[in-house]
């Protein structure tokens, strides 16, 4: 009986961790889309890929999960550039993009 409860608790914890990760990924995707729109570049594939995950303290000293997402964008439609979205908890810490060609 106790083994079953422990298993259920572990499965529930894993599900909640996964669900929270999906929500953070969606926040990152929306932030990257808005950033690309603001800079008048095209976000490619409409996708952010989780690159790394670790713990880091926020400005208040509270431990948060820091996730780094990668994405690709294009300024002219002919080439691909890489970008990085860093999330600390549910907050966008930064969005960094490679230097890109601007045909204006």
């Amino acid at each position: 009986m106790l083994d079953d409860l422990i298993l259920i608790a572990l499965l529930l914890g894993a599900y909640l961790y996964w669900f929270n990760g999906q929500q953070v990924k969606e926040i990152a995707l929306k932030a990257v889309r808005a950033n690309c729109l603001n800079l008048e570049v095209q976000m490619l594939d409409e996708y952010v890929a989780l690159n790394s995950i670790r713990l880091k303290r926020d400005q208040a000293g509270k431990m948060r999960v820091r996730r780094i997402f990668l994405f690709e964008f294009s300024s002219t439609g002919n080439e691909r550039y890489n970008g990085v979205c860093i999330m600390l908890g549910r907050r966008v810490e930064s969005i960094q993009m490679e230097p890109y060609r601007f045909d204006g």
Side-chain angles (χ1 to χ4, degrees):
M1 179 71 170
L2 184 59
D3 292 343
D4 293 338
L5 289 175
I6 292 172
L7 179 62
I8 290 171
L10 287 174
L11 290 174
L12 180 61
Y15 171 75
L16 291 174
Y17 176 78
W18 173 82
F19 185 73
N20 182 52
Q22 292 302 309
Q23 290 179 327
V24 171
K25 184 176 182 177
E26 187 63 32
I27 293 168
L29 180 60
K30 286 180 183 178
V32 168
R33 279 184 189 143
N35 190 61
C36 287
L37 186 63
N38 186 43
L39 295 174
E40 297 180 0
V41 297
Q42 179 185 6
M43 182 181 177
L44 300 175
D45 306 326
E46 290 294 314
Y47 183 75
V48 292
L50 182 64
N51 184 52
S52 73
I53 187 168
R54 66 181 182 98
L55 294 175
K56 182 181 176 188
R57 294 193 186 276
D58 63 10
Q59 292 179 342
K62 189 173 181 181
M63 285 299 260
R64 301 280 183 192
V65 177
R66 182 176 191 242
R67 294 174 172 93
I68 298 178
F69 293 95
L70 305 178
F71 65 94
E72 293 184 329
F73 67 97
S74 178
S75 60
T76 63
N78 293 327
E79 62 281 307
R80 297 175 88 89
Y81 298 100
N82 295 313
V84 175
C85 178
I86 301 173
M87 300 289 296
L88 188 59
R90 292 174 171 261
R91 186 179 61 81
V92 177
E93 194 172 68
S94 69
I95 297 176
Q96 304 162 7
M97 301 168 76
E98 287 183 344
Y100 57 90
R101 181 187 307 175
F102 176 70
D103 291 339

